[in-house]
Amino acid sequence: MKTDCKLTLPELEALCEAFLDCRLSRLQEKELELVLLHSTLSSPLLDEVRQIMALSSLMEESASSHAAKQKERRMRHRKWYAAASCAAVIVAAASVIMTVLMRPGTSAVAQQQDYIAVYVDGHMLSGKTARAKANDIQTASMNMLQELLQETEETTAESLDFMNSILAEQ
C-alpha cells in the first residue's frame, strides 16, 4: 500500500474493517496508518481506527521507555554485584593461600627448625618457648582466617540470595 495512492471511502473502510478483524500484517497496519494520516476522508469508522492506532503507538512508546529504564537499572545492579563477587573471591583466595602457607612443614622456616631464633622485647626465647609462642600466633591466625572464610561464605550466600530475588521479580 502506498501513501500517494487515492483510495475511496469504501476501500478505506474495508481496510479498516480488516484492521479491526486483525487480518492485516504489521507492515500492512503501518501502511494503513500512513494512508489514514495523509487522507482527508473521514467517517466514524476511519476516526475510530485512527484513535486506536494513536493509542497503540503511545503504548509502544511507553513500553519501550519502561524497558529501557529496567535495563539501565539491571545494569547498575549487575555492576554492584560483580564488584561484590570479585571482592568475595579475592578474600576467599587469600584465605586459601594463607591456610596452605601456614600449615606446619610447608614453609621454608618450618623446614629449618634448627635455625629458628625468636626475640621478644629484645630477649631471645628458648626453643620450647619460641615454638609455643609461634604455635599460639599460628593458632590465632588460623582462627582469624577461619572467621574471614566464614564471613566470606555468608556474604556470598547473601549476595546469591539477593541476585535470585531480583531475577525472580523480573
Side-chain angles (χ1 to χ4, degrees):
M1 204 183 300
K2 296 181 181 176
T3 59
D4 60 347
C5 65
K6 300 293 181 190
L7 296 173
T8 63
L9 183 62
E11 290 172 332
L12 277 176
E13 286 182 340
L15 287 170
C16 288
E17 287 290 335
F19 171 78
L20 292 174
D21 292 338
C22 299
R23 290 184 287 154
L24 299 179
S25 67
R26 291 297 287 160
L27 178 63
Q28 290 170 331
E29 288 177 2
K30 289 294 180 188
E31 289 176 345
L32 178 60
E33 186 176 1
L34 287 173
V35 169
L36 290 176
L37 181 66
H38 296 291
S39 175
T40 57
L41 299 175
S42 181
S43 76
L45 180 60
L46 295 179
D47 293 338
E48 179 184 358
V49 171
R50 283 183 179 120
Q51 289 176 348
I52 291 171
M53 287 181 169
L55 181 63
S56 175
S57 294
L58 286 174
M59 290 175 60
E60 286 175 4
E61 288 175 14
S62 174
S64 66
S65 70
H66 180 69
K69 287 178 185 176
Q70 280 186 330
K71 183 177 180 181
E72 180 183 331
R73 196 175 312 125
R74 277 194 306 265
M75 291 305 290
R76 266 190 273 132
H77 288 299
R78 284 182 185 163
K79 288 177 186 176
W80 177 253
Y81 296 134
S85 298
C86 286
V89 167
I90 289 170
V91 169
S95 299
V96 169
I97 290 170
M98 293 302 290
T99 302
V100 169
L101 291 178
M102 296 302 285
R103 273 195 202 139
T106 59
S107 68
V109 175
Q111 292 173 359
Q112 300 173 0
Q113 292 180 8
D114 296 337
Y115 303 107
I116 294 176
V118 178
Y119 289 87
V120 175
D121 294 328
H123 301 288
M124 186 172 161
L125 298 180
S126 68
K128 290 182 181 180
T129 308
R131 282 193 180 93
K133 186 82 167 170
N135 284 336
D136 291 343
I137 292 171
Q138 181 183 11
T139 302
S141 296
M142 293 301 289
N143 289 339
M144 184 179 73
L145 287 173
Q146 288 296 336
E147 290 174 9
L148 282 174
L149 184 59
Q150 184 177 3
E151 287 178 23
T152 303
E153 290 172 354
E154 291 172 0
T155 303
T156 303
E158 289 172 3
S159 295
L160 288 173
D161 290 342
F162 188 65
M163 285 188 270
N164 288 334
S165 69
I166 288 176
L167 291 173
E169 291 175 5
Q170 297 174 1

